[in-house]
């Protein structure tokens, strides 16, 4: 069984590390309609925007290639 990758994101607002699984990246973050992710810190909960470049890097990390 293949072990799932965990990626570490840092909140752009409060600096709290965010653990993001490969599943979330594949099914959510690389979707062109998704603009970013929300911080899990209850004192922050702000949107962290992902640029097109960020999304390309995510695809490279998780899938091994970018289109």
């Amino acid at each position: 069984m293949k072990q799932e990758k965990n990626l570490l994101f840092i909140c752009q607002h409060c600096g709290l590390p965010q653990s993001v699984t490969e599943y979330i990246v594949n099914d959510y973050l690389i979707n062109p309609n998704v603009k970013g992710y929300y911080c899990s810190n209850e004192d922050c909960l702000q949107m962290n925007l992902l640029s097109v470049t960020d999304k390309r890097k995510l695809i490279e990390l998780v899938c091994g290639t970018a289109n």
Side-chain angles (χ1 to χ4, degrees), residues 21-37:
T21 65
E22 185 177 4
Y23 172 81
I24 291 172
V25 172
N26 283 334
D27 287 2
Y28 181 69
L29 292 181
I30 61 175
N31 181 322
N33 296 319
V34 173
K35 303 297 182 212
Y37 63 95

Side-chain angles (χ1 to χ4, degrees), residues 5 30 55-67:
K5 296 177 188 174
I30 61 175
K55 288 190 178 207
R56 284 189 186 129
K57 291 294 182 187
L58 280 173
I59 295 168
E60 289 174 11
L61 284 170
V62 173
C63 303
T65 185
N67 295 336

Side-chain angles (χ1 to χ4, degrees), residues 9-67:
F9 288 77
I10 305 296
C11 177
Q12 301 163 355
H13 307 281
C14 72
L16 183 75
Q18 312 283 312
S19 180
V20 178
T21 65
E22 185 177 4
Y23 172 81
I24 291 172
V25 172
N26 283 334
D27 287 2
Y28 181 69
L29 292 181
I30 61 175
N31 181 322
N33 296 319
V34 173
K35 303 297 182 212
Y37 63 95
Y38 285 95
C39 179
S40 62
N41 178 0
E42 290 183 10
D43 293 329
C44 181
L45 301 174
Q46 292 194 46
M47 170 67 88
N48 288 272
L49 297 176
L50 293 172
S51 68
V52 172
T53 303
D54 293 336
K55 288 190 178 207
R56 284 189 186 129
K57 291 294 182 187
L58 280 173
I59 295 168
E60 289 174 11
L61 284 170
V62 173
C63 303
T65 185
N67 295 336

